[in-house]
Amino acid sequence: MVLLAAAEAGAGSPKARRGLDLPNGVGHGIISNMEKVITLGHGSGGALTQELIERFFVPAFDNEPLRALTDSALIAAEGKRLAFTTDSYVVKPWQFPGGDIGKLAVTGTVNDLAVVGARPIFLSVGFILEEGFPLSDLHTVINSLAETAQAAGVQIVTGDTKVVERGSGDGIYLNTAGLGVVPKGVNLSAQRVAPGDVVLVSGPLGEHEICVLLARGELEFEAEVLSDCAPVQGLVQMLLENIGEGVKWLRDPTRGGLATALNELARACGYDLLVEEAAVPVQEPVRVLCDLLGYDPLYLANEGKIVAVLAPQVAEEALAVVREHELGREAALIGRVLPETRGRVLLQTGVGGRRIVDLLAGAQWPRIC
Amino acid sequence: MVLLAAAEAGAGSPKARRGLDLPNGVGHGIISNMEKVITLGHGSGGALTQELIERFFVPAFDNEPLRALTDSALIAAEGKRLAFTTDSYVVKPWQFPGGDIGKLAVTGTVNDLAVVGARPIFLSVGFILEEGFPLSDLHTVINSLAETAQAAGVQIVTGDTKVVERGSGDGIYLNTAGLGVVPKGVNLSAQRVAPGDVVLVSGPLGEHEICVLLARGELEFEAEVLSDCAPVQGLVQMLLENIGEGVKWLRDPTRGGLATALNELARACGYDLLVEEAAVPVQEPVRVLCDLLGYDPLYLANEGKIVAVLAPQVAEEALAVVREHELGREAALIGRVLPETRGRVLLQTGVGGRRIVDLLAGAQWPRIC
C-alpha cells in the first residue's frame, strides 16, 4: 500500500469525517485550492494523496487495519497474523534500465509486505492491457514477473486480464496484491519510536526515479542510472533476525521518497526527526542530475531501499548487518529522533542550518509511477 | 479470478509449455491466426483469453494453486485454507442502471471467493484514475465500494491510488483482490462432478451485459434492464449450509457468460454437459434485445448469479433453497451431466436438436468489462 500515514486527524475525528460531506466537503483544505478534479498531484504520494486518503478513503472504508495506514494491512485470519497489501503500476515507459513493470510489480508488493515484518508468500497479478500491445512484450513482462517472484520466494497464484480499446491505456498497467505471514514476536510500529532512536537508510537514494525519468527521454540529459528495483525481504529478514526488537519501524521509501516516508513516521510517532544532509547517500550521477534539474533526492522514489528506525544501542550493529547484504553495501545512519513533539522532519544542512522537509504539495515533475 | 479453466493440456504438458518459446512460440494455434498483438478478444473470456492463460501465464507462474484455475486460488497459510483472488474493472461507462464500477469491483471479487466456498473477509482496492476525473464522481465510487463491502460483510483494509495523464485511461479503473477463509468440510471441485448430476442457475441470464451495452448508448435501442450486480456470498452460504456435499461445483457466470462457465467445467471434469434451452431463464427485455441484435444470452455476462452442479438426489431440494433467497427467486434446473467423456457443452434446442456450445473465438461485440 502506498497510502500515506494518517496525519493528526484520526479516522474517527470530525476533521477526517468531513470528507463524507462531499461534494460540498471538497471545499476545504488543499483540495479547495485545486480544481475539483483528480490531478497528477493526487497520485504523487504527497499532500494531495494524503488528503484523498484522509478525507475520502479512511472515513468511507473505516476499519481498524486500514486506519493504521501501514504499508501492508495487518489482519487476523483464523487466529493468524497476516499482512495484505496492493499496488497498481502505471510506470511509463514499461521498460527501463534495471527492470520493467513486471519486476517492479512483484518488487513493490513484496517490499510493502517485508517492511511490516511479514514473510511474503502469495501474490495476485491483474493485467490491464491496451489493444495493440505486442504479445512478445507481454511475454517479457510475464517472464519478469515470474523471475522476480521466484527470486523473492513468492508464488503468483491468481490473476486476471482485461483489455481496453486502443487509446484507453498506456500499453500495460499492472496491479499486484500480496499476502504474507507475520512471524511471532515481530513488532514494528511508529508508536515504539522514541527520542534518541537512529534512522538508517540501506543505500543511495533516487536511482529508480531518475532512471525512469531518463528512460522517458524528457530530461534532455543522458546518463547511466540503473533502477534500484529489487525485493528487500531478504535484507529485512536478516535485519530482524539479527537485531530483533531493536528494529522499531521500517518502510520502503518509494513514491515521494525518503522525505515522504519520514514525514509519515514523524506524524505517526509525534516526534521531530532530524536528518543530516551530509550523511544521506546519493550516487554521483543522481546528485549531478538533481543539481542540474533542481530536484531533491529526498523526494525521489526508490524501489529497493529500506529506511529503519533503530534503538540507539543497536544502531551500529544494525548498520554492520545491513552492509553485509548485497542490497545494503552503501547503507548509512542518516539521522535521529528528537525529543520535540511537533511531528516534523528537519534537515541539518551542510552550512549548519536546519530547514523543515515537508510533504510535497503536488506533483513537481513528470509522474514516474 | 477470471482466468479460465485449463483445457486438456495441463500446466506441465509439452503443449502448455510451448508458450515459453515466445516470440517464436506465438506462431501456434489460435494466436497464430491473429496479429501478434493483444486484441479485445484476449480480454473477452473466450478462447483467446484461455490461450493467453495456458500458453503464457500458467507455464511462467507454474504452481499448484494457480494450475487449478479456479475462480479463487485455494492456498494454505499457517495451516489454514484460504482463498485469494483478484480482478480488474474497466467497465465503460463507470455508472450503469443498477450499479457502478465500485459496486461491481466489490461484487466481482466477493463472488469469486464465494463460489470456491470461501467466506469473504478482506478486500484490497487499487484505483487507477485519469487526470481530470471529477472528485465528486470518485466520491460516488468510494461510497459504492464501502456500501457494497458492508452489505457483503467484508472489510476494505488496504488500497492504492495512481493517477495517469489525461488521455491515458477511461476515467477510472479499479482492481480488487480478496481474501476469504474456506470452512472445514467445503469440497467444491470439477473432479467430483459425475454423470447424472444436475445443473442449476440462480436466475435469468445476461442482465449485466445488456444493461452496460445499453448504458453505452451504442445499441440504438432503449430498454429498461438493470444490472444484476450483487454479492452472492449469502446465497452460496445458504446453499452450502442446507445441501452440504450435494453441491459439487459452483461458479459465477461473469465474462463469457454461462456458456463459458460450463465449457470450463466440461473441460475440467471431462464429461459432456447438456443444457435444455427452454429451461434457461432469460428476462423478456433481454431476450427481445438478443433476438434483435443476434446475441446469445448464454454468452452474456452476469454479476449476481451462480451456476451450481448438484447431486441428482438433492437437486430439487437445492432449487427450493435457492428460490428462498432474494437473489434466487427465478432459479431453474437447466441441464445435466452426460456420461459421454468428450468435455463438450451441448444445447438441447426447442426444436429437438442438439448443438455444441463452444467458447467464443474472440470478442463479438463492444467490450463491457
Side-chain angles (χ1 to χ4, degrees):
Chain A
M1 177 161 85
V2 189
L3 298 186
L4 296 177
E8 299 85 345
S13 78
K15 183 183 168 197
R17 289 225 169 264
R18 270 212 306 263
L20 287 174
D21 303 333
L22 282 172
N24 291 339
V26 176
H28 299 287
I30 298 172
I31 290 176
S32 68
N33 301 324
M34 310 291 296
E35 299 175 85
K36 289 176 183 174
V37 297
I38 287 292
T39 65
L40 290 175
H42 286 104
S44 70
L48 280 174
T49 311
Q50 185 160 3
E51 184 141 342
L52 208 53
I53 292 163
E54 288 171 15
R55 291 257 173 95
F56 283 55
F57 297 130
V58 173
F61 302 149
D62 194 34
N63 59 66
E64 196 63 40
L66 178 66
R67 231 173 284 138
L69 292 173
T70 38
D71 279 312
S72 297
L74 295 170
I75 55 181
E78 301 280 283
K80 303 293 178 182
R81 276 209 303 170
L82 301 177
F84 184 34
T85 190
T86 192
D87 258 328
S88 299
Y89 299 87
V90 296
V91 61
K92 200 164 72 172
W94 66 266
Q95 271 185 311
F96 45 81
D100 63 22
I101 194 171
K103 183 177 182 185
L104 197 59
V106 171
T107 298
T109 291
V110 162
N111 291 356
D112 278 343
L113 293 171
V115 294
V116 298
R119 192 162 47 86
I121 306 182
F122 298 113
L123 294 192
S124 68
V125 57
F127 294 80
I128 299 178
L129 302 172
E130 185 183 356
E131 192 185 6
F133 190 71
L135 282 173
S136 56
D137 288 350
L138 177 61
H139 189 248
T140 301
V141 172
I142 290 171
N143 277 347
S144 286
L145 285 160
E147 282 164 19
T148 314
Q150 188 161 29
V154 294
Q155 289 188 327
I156 296 173
V157 292
T158 186
D160 174 56
T161 308
K162 293 294 189 307
V163 180
V164 296
E165 287 88 357
R166 208 178 287 267
S168 290
D170 276 327
I172 181 166
Y173 298 146
L174 295 181
N175 174 283
T176 45
L179 195 62
V181 173
V182 185
K184 281 209 173 81
V186 168
N187 183 15
L188 298 166
S189 162
Q191 275 62 57
R192 291 185 53 225
V193 170
D197 285 351
V198 176
V199 180
L200 172 149
V201 67
S202 63
L205 299 181
E207 290 143 35
H208 177 70
E209 183 140 2
I210 290 294
C211 160
V212 173
L213 288 172
L214 285 167
R216 292 178 69 144
E218 292 172 4
L219 288 193
E220 298 182 10
F221 291 99
E222 288 191 20
E224 283 245 321
V225 179
L226 286 186
S227 168
D228 60 334
C229 183
V232 298
Q233 94 289 346
L235 174 61
V236 170
Q237 291 311 315
M238 205 166 127
L239 185 61
L240 292 176
E241 278 163 23
N242 283 279
I243 306 298
E245 293 225 328
V247 185
K248 296 186 167 185
W249 180 90
L250 287 175
R251 184 142 300 184
D252 57 330
T254 55
R255 183 172 58 169
L258 181 72
T260 302
L262 290 183
N263 264 284
E264 293 170 37
L265 171 61
R267 289 168 187 225
C269 76
Y271 295 109
D272 282 355
L273 306 175
L274 183 69
V275 174
E276 305 278 348
E277 189 173 37
V280 176
V282 180
Q283 275 189 2
E284 196 52 28
V286 172
R287 189 182 299 281
V288 170
L289 278 167
C290 281
D291 284 349
L292 285 167
L293 297 161
Y295 293 172
D296 185 339
L298 292 179
Y299 290 97
L300 295 179
N302 313 277
E303 293 291 347
K305 299 296 184 313
I306 60 169
V307 198
V309 174
L310 306 158
Q313 63 276 18
V314 298
E316 286 295 339
E317 186 190 348
L319 178 65
V321 167
V322 170
R323 282 188 171 165
E324 270 174 42
H325 194 280
E326 58 173 338
L327 296 179
R329 299 263 180 268
E330 298 172 71
L333 303 179
I334 60 162
R336 62 185 194 278
V337 181
L338 300 178
E340 285 78 13
T341 55
R342 298 177 65 183
R344 303 169 304 174
V345 179
L346 304 170
L347 189 72
Q348 183 82 46
T349 61
V351 293
R354 285 186 183 184
R355 66 172 174 86
I356 294 175
V357 177
D358 211 344
L359 288 179
L360 287 184
Q364 298 215 335
W365 47 75
R367 74 165 175 91
I368 61 107
C369 66
Chain B
M1 178 162 83
V2 189
L3 299 186
L4 296 177
E8 299 84 346
S13 77
K15 184 183 167 197
R17 287 226 170 264
R18 271 211 306 263
L20 286 175
D21 303 333
L22 281 172
N24 291 338
V26 177
H28 299 286
I30 298 171
I31 289 175
S32 67
N33 302 323
M34 310 291 295
E35 300 174 86
K36 289 173 182 176
V37 297
I38 287 292
T39 64
L40 290 175
H42 287 105
S44 69
L48 280 172
T49 312
Q50 185 160 2
E51 185 139 344
L52 207 55
I53 293 163
E54 289 172 15
R55 289 255 173 97
F56 283 53
F57 296 130
V58 173
F61 302 150
D62 194 34
N63 60 65
E64 196 62 41
L66 177 65
R67 230 172 286 138
L69 292 172
T70 38
D71 280 312
S72 297
L74 294 170
I75 55 181
E78 301 280 282
K80 302 294 177 183
R81 277 210 301 171
L82 301 177
F84 185 35
T85 191
T86 192
D87 259 326
S88 299
Y89 299 86
V90 295
V91 62
K92 199 165 71 171
W94 66 267
Q95 271 186 311
F96 45 81
D100 63 22
I101 194 170
K103 183 177 182 185
L104 197 59
V106 171
T107 297
T109 291
V110 162
N111 291 355
D112 277 345
L113 293 171
V115 294
V116 298
R119 192 163 47 86
I121 305 183
F122 297 114
L123 295 192
S124 67
V125 58
F127 293 80
I128 299 178
L129 302 172
E130 184 182 357
E131 191 185 6
F133 190 71
L135 282 172
S136 56
D137 288 350
L138 177 61
H139 190 250
T140 301
V141 172
I142 291 171
N143 277 348
S144 285
L145 284 161
E147 282 164 17
T148 315
Q150 188 160 30
V154 294
Q155 289 187 327
I156 295 172
V157 292
T158 186
D160 173 56
T161 308
K162 293 294 188 308
V163 180
V164 296
E165 288 88 357
R166 208 177 287 266
S168 291
D170 275 329
I172 182 167
Y173 298 145
L174 295 181
N175 174 284
T176 46
L179 194 62
V181 173
V182 184
K184 281 210 174 80
V186 168
N187 183 16
L188 297 166
S189 163
Q191 274 63 55
R192 291 185 55 225
V193 170
D197 285 351
V198 176
V199 180
L200 172 149
V201 66
S202 63
L205 299 181
E207 289 144 36
H208 176 70
E209 184 141 2
I210 290 293
C211 159
V212 173
L213 287 172
L214 285 167
R216 292 178 71 143
E218 291 172 5
L219 288 193
E220 298 182 10
F221 291 98
E222 288 190 21
E224 283 246 321
V225 179
L226 285 187
S227 168
D228 59 334
C229 184
V232 298
Q233 92 290 346
L235 174 61
V236 169
Q237 291 310 316
M238 205 165 126
L239 184 60
L240 292 175
E241 278 162 24
N242 283 278
I243 307 297
E245 293 225 328
V247 184
K248 297 185 168 186
W249 180 89
L250 286 175
R251 185 141 301 182
D252 57 329
T254 54
R255 182 172 61 167
L258 180 72
T260 302
L262 290 184
N263 264 283
E264 293 171 39
L265 171 61
R267 288 166 187 228
C269 75
Y271 294 109
D272 282 356
L273 306 174
L274 183 69
V275 173
E276 305 276 348
E277 190 173 36
V280 176
V282 181
Q283 276 189 1
E284 196 52 28
V286 172
R287 189 182 298 281
V288 169
L289 278 166
C290 282
D291 285 349
L292 285 168
L293 297 160
Y295 293 172
D296 184 340
L298 292 179
Y299 290 97
L300 296 178
N302 313 278
E303 293 291 347
K305 298 297 183 315
I306 59 168
V307 198
V309 174
L310 306 158
Q313 63 275 17
V314 298
E316 286 295 340
E317 186 189 346
L319 177 65
V321 167
V322 171
R323 282 188 171 163
E324 270 174 41
H325 194 280
E326 58 173 339
L327 295 179
R329 300 264 180 266
E330 297 172 72
L333 304 178
I334 60 161
R336 63 186 193 278
V337 181
L338 300 178
E340 286 78 13
T341 55
R342 297 177 64 182
R344 303 169 305 176
V345 178
L346 304 170
L347 188 72
Q348 182 83 46
T349 61
V351 292
R354 285 186 183 184
R355 66 173 175 86
I356 293 174
V357 177
D358 211 346
L359 289 178
L360 287 185
Q364 298 215 334
W365 46 76
R367 74 165 176 91
I368 61 109
C369 67

